[in-house]
């Protein structure tokens, strides 16, 4: 595992640079127009600081949504937004929102954001790079005295990563108006609802309707994020522009068997719910592996009788499928449904499959993506277009505004683990492209 090896260096001064030919840190020569340089030392300091706000009872760099550390982290994020000259407010589900007025008060906002919560046992970069990168856009504009025509609106979305209640993208759903009663009433195993979880963090989920944004007020949504997969690194590419983001279907399979003595019941007469559940785990793997660009994962196989001398009469398999296409998600679901009777026949069990929420795949805006590719070229980098198998707040934001995402490489393609790593030079490149993309959207993007 790479160590936490960055050290704080005092920030340099932000400068406008104008030069017909610039040599970049990676040694390449590029023709550039006017660019605004990020103060990457500040981003590094932010990564260092947030890495101290982690739950000591969990492995990795855990700051799960609505935890004490998450509340503290997002309080710090709000302070940083204010120090960057943004007006801030925290909405009813905990989204931290900072705004920087544009010169044309009627112009719709350019929104830039990501999330600072993590999965349990997660890393230091997923989401965090995008939040710090977004604040650095505001800081860079301020340093250089640059005023946008549009309002710049920066968001640290609440609880992107989901919770034991099984709801991902909580904050961006609230903003898009898709965080429904069913989401808020979903409970964890101890009966705590998502609404309870949000309230305990000091927010007001009963006022979720106040979080909703009007699409008429929005020009575009941009998000910088680590790739979390191996594509950029394998291709030697420094910048990715996302074409579409996966759709996700979640399910649970409840398997009913018969409780019997584990020592005296012959193997060929058992009705073992645990064995049928285990076979279902492998069925999910086989079905997803046979599809194109599809993945399937079981997160839990649980039983109510965890004893080795009793045959399980109940097991629950909790999982998800992902695909770039809705048709792919449907095909995966049909295949699993068709498999269940075969599994039940083989194990003398009775199972019922329930589907949770399906988030359809989201298509990133073609024209906005072209703007981002152009912004990358302006600052001297060729962008690679790629699909995201990880989900993002951009899925929800794409329902409100043209959405685009900038990816930077993840070392070894690793993510959602403590070893997650992105080099500072890669982050700097991403922030530079983000700044340029915001400037280009401000001056030249009319929407799709
Ligand atoms: C979040 O990172 C997800 O892809 O589930
Ligand atoms: Mn993320
Ligand atoms: Mn994540």
């Amino acid at each position: 595992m790479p160590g936490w090896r960055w050290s704080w260096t005092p920030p340099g001064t932000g400068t406008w640079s104008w030069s017909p030919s610039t040599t970049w840190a990676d040694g390449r020569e590029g023709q550039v127009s006017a660019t605004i340089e990020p103060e990457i030392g500040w981003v590094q300091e932010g990564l260092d600081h947030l890495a101290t706000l982690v739950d000591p009872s969990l492995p990795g760099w855990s700051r799960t949504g609505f935890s004490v550390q998450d509340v503290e982290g997002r309080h710090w994020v709000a302070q940083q937004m204010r120090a960057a000259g943004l007006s801030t407010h925290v909405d009813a589900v905990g989204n931290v929102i900072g705004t920087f007025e544009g010169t044309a008060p009627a112009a719709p906002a350019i929104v830039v954001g990501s999330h600072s919560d993590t999965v349990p046992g997660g890393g230091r970069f997923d989401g965090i790079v995008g939040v710090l990168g977004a604040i650095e856009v505001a800081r860079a504009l301020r340093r250089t005295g640059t005023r946008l025509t549009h309002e710049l609106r920066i968001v640290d979305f609440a609880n992107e990563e989901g919770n034991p209640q099984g709801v991902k993208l909580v904050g961006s759903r609230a903003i898009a108006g898709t965080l429904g009663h069913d989401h808020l009433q979903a409970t964890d195993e101890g009966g705590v609802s998502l609404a309870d979880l949000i309230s305990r963090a000091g927010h007001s989920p009963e006022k979720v309707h106040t979080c909703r944004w009007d699409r008429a007020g929005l020009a575009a949504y941009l998000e910088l994020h680590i790739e979390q997969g191996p594509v950029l690194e394998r291709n030697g590419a420094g910048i990715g522009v996302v074409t579409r983001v996966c759709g996700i279907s979640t399910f649970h399979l409840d398997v009913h068997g018969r409780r019997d003595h584990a020592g005296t019941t012959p193997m060929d007469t058992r009705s073992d719910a645990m064995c049928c559940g285990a076979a279902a785990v492998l069925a999910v793997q086989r079905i997803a592996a046979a599809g194109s660009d599809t993945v399937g994962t079981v997160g839990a196989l649980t039983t109510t009788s965890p004893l080795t001398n009793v045959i399980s009469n109940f097991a629950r398999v909790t999982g998800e499928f992902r695909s770039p296409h809705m048709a792919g998600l449907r095909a995966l679901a049909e295949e699993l449904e068709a498999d269940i009777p075969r599994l039940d026949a083989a194990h003398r069990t009775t199972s019922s499959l329930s589907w949770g929420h399906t988030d359809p795949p989201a298509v990133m805006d073609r024209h906005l993506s072209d703007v981002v590719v152009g912004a990358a070229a302006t600052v001297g980098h060729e962008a690679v277009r790629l699909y995201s198998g990880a989900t993002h707040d951009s899925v929800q934001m794409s329902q409100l505004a043209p959405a685009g995402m900038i990816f930077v490489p993840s070392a070894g393609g690793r993510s959602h683990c403590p070893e997650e790593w992105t080099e500072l030079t890669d982050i700097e490149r991403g922030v530079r492209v983000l700044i340029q993309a915001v400037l280009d959207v401000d001056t030249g993007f009319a929407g799709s």
Side-chain angles (χ1 to χ4, degrees):
M1 170 184 147
W4 187 236
R5 57 182 184 258
W6 296 346
S7 60
W8 163 243
T9 46
T13 47
T15 49
W16 269 96
S17 66
W18 169 265
S19 147
S21 172
T22 295
T23 304
W24 299 105
D26 58 10
R28 61 179 293 173
E29 291 273 327
Q31 294 296 315
V32 295
S33 53
T35 61
I36 295 180
E37 292 298 311
E39 200 171 80
I40 201 62
W42 178 84
V43 175
Q44 173 184 320
E45 184 196 27
L47 286 161
D48 283 343
H49 180 71
L50 286 171
T52 65
L53 304 179
V54 292
D55 184 342
S57 70
L58 291 171
W61 311 87
S62 303
R63 193 170 44 258
T64 56
F66 306 114
S67 64
V68 171
Q69 295 80 15
D70 179 51
V71 171
E72 194 181 342
R74 276 144 16 79
H75 181 72
W76 179 85
V77 165
Q79 279 176 345
Q80 299 306 307
M81 287 183 182
R82 284 191 288 277
L86 299 159
S87 318
T88 59
H89 90 277
V90 179
D91 75 8
V93 300
N95 290 307
V96 179
I97 301 162
T99 54
F100 207 8
E101 293 234 319
T103 54
I110 300 170
V111 185
V112 187
S114 198
H115 61 97
S116 62
D117 67 318
T118 72
V119 289
R124 289 159 284 186
F125 302 87
D126 173 1
I128 299 152
V129 162
V131 170
L132 296 174
I135 298 173
E136 180 51 24
V137 172
R139 287 168 41 88
L141 294 177
R142 194 175 200 223
R143 272 198 306 276
T144 55
T146 308
R147 288 294 303 277
L148 299 182
T149 308
H150 299 73
E151 172 192 322
L152 177 66
R153 195 178 300 175
I154 289 173
V155 194
D156 180 0
F157 294 103
N159 193 201
E160 186 264 9
E161 295 286 9
N163 38 58
Q165 288 78 7
V167 184
K168 296 184 177 74
L169 313 180
V170 172
S172 51
R173 276 184 212 277
I175 285 176
T178 60
L179 188 70
H181 186 71
D182 51 338
H183 293 116
L184 289 169
Q185 290 318 311
T187 53
D188 67 9
E189 281 182 359
V192 176
S193 69
L194 177 57
D196 293 336
L197 187 70
I198 298 172
S199 299
R200 288 175 192 179
H203 308 300
S204 311
E206 68 286 356
K207 296 191 184 145
V208 63
H209 58 280
T210 62
C211 300
R212 195 170 183 159
W213 291 2
D214 180 5
R215 65 172 63 219
L218 307 174
Y221 173 73
L222 285 168
E223 181 168 353
L224 169 67
H225 205 283
I226 59 167
E227 183 204 333
Q228 309 184 265
V231 175
L232 294 178
E233 191 178 72
R234 279 190 194 152
N235 289 282
I239 291 288
V241 176
V242 177
T243 50
R244 57 171 61 222
V245 179
C246 67
I248 307 179
S249 293
T250 59
F251 61 84
H252 62 251
L253 178 73
D254 283 348
V255 186
H256 295 273
R258 202 179 67 192
R259 188 179 168 94
D260 276 311
H261 196 292
T264 59
T265 312
M267 294 305 283
D268 61 355
T269 64
R270 293 172 177 221
S271 168
D272 188 332
M274 192 56 149
C275 286
C276 181
V281 173
L282 296 179
V284 168
Q285 183 191 40
R286 176 177 42 72
I287 290 166
S292 132
D293 273 341
T294 56
V295 291
T297 307
V298 170
L301 169 56
T302 53
T303 172
T304 43
S305 55
L307 302 170
T308 57
N309 61 354
V310 178
I311 295 167
S312 303
N313 65 342
F314 178 77
R316 173 170 281 193
V317 180
T318 309
E320 60 161 50
F321 284 121
R322 298 190 184 204
S323 167
H325 302 286
M326 206 51 219
L329 279 184
R330 275 195 289 268
L332 292 165
E334 280 164 19
E335 285 196 47
L336 184 59
E337 272 164 17
D339 243 30
I340 302 305
R342 287 196 282 273
L343 296 177
D344 274 338
H347 296 277
R348 291 167 290 280
T349 48
T350 310
S351 301
S352 57
L353 181 61
S354 317
W355 293 96
H357 302 288
T358 291
D359 282 329
V363 180
M364 296 295 99
D365 185 81
R366 175 84 205 183
H367 295 135
L368 183 59
S369 298
D370 289 347
V371 170
V372 177
V373 169
T378 299
V379 299
H381 299 287
E382 195 176 336
V384 166
R385 298 195 197 238
L386 78 176
Y387 156 70
S388 174
T391 192
H392 296 287
D393 292 306
S394 62
V395 170
Q396 295 300 318
M397 295 308 291
S398 69
Q399 299 177 37
L400 290 178
M405 290 193 76
I406 301 164
F407 274 1
V408 289
S410 291
R414 307 280 313 274
S415 185
H416 281 185
C417 58
E419 293 82 1
E420 178 180 275
W421 187 260
T422 294
E423 293 295 339
L424 191 61
T425 50
D426 289 325
I427 296 171
E428 182 173 22
R429 184 185 314 110
V431 180
R432 191 178 283 134
V433 174
L434 180 64
I435 294 171
Q436 189 61 45
V438 167
L439 292 173
D440 291 350
V441 169
D442 190 54
T443 52
F445 178 64
S448 297

